[in-house]
Amino acid sequence: MNPVTAEELHRLYPRADHRYVEALVGGWSEIQRAGITTPLRWCHFLAQCAHETGDLRIVREDTLWSLDRMCQLWPSRFKKTDPVFLTRYQMAKGDEQ
């Protein structure tokens, strides 16, 4: 499979952030090492990336999740009784105590 080019990515995602384009083009060997070695896998990988980033435009995650909502959505990952999680959550929200 041939490496992707910046021109190909810009044709697919004309408003793509240059950081995504540079990472995908410059990281081609890492992409291949991760097992993305067929056109089908590349299509799936790129579609997932585009979906998660608004067509390669969103570079910052929305951090408006409430503590309760995070615990409700991902109970195996976030627990109100975990002091490490609570500290990180408070720091991310700027509520250092």
Side-chain angles (χ1 to χ4, degrees), residues 47-68:
Q48 186 65 38
C49 291
H51 173 74
E52 295 285 341
T53 61
D55 288 340
L56 306 180
R57 293 179 294 130
I58 300 169
V59 294
R60 187 175 176 108
E61 183 71 40
D62 178 2
T63 58
L64 298 177
W65 297 97
S66 72
L67 178 66
D68 290 333

Side-chain angles (χ1 to χ4, degrees), residues 13-79:
Y13 307 104
R15 296 174 51 205
D17 186 280
H18 70 92
R19 292 170 283 187
Y20 286 119
V21 173
E22 290 167 9
L24 290 166
V25 171
W28 189 253
S29 61
E30 288 83 6
I31 291 169
Q32 296 274 287
R33 271 197 299 275
I36 302 167
T37 57
T38 67
L40 181 61
R41 283 185 180 222
W42 169 247
C43 288
H44 286 187
F45 173 74
L46 188 58
Q48 186 65 38
C49 291
H51 173 74
E52 295 285 341
T53 61
D55 288 340
L56 306 180
R57 293 179 294 130
I58 300 169
V59 294
R60 187 175 176 108
E61 183 71 40
D62 178 2
T63 58
L64 298 177
W65 297 97
S66 72
L67 178 66
D68 290 333
R69 186 68 174 145
M70 289 174 71
C71 292
Q72 179 186 33
L73 290 173
W74 302 289
S76 64
R77 294 183 68 192
F78 304 115
K79 297 186 184 345

Side-chain angles (χ1 to χ4, degrees), residues 60-67 70 78 83-97:
R60 187 175 176 108
E61 183 71 40
D62 178 2
T63 58
L64 298 177
W65 297 97
S66 72
L67 178 66
M70 289 174 71
F78 304 115
V84 173
F85 166 62
L86 291 173
T87 300
R88 287 181 178 169
Y89 181 81
Q90 290 169 344
M91 290 174 69
K93 293 295 185 183
D95 187 25
E96 298 180 45
Q97 294 177 0

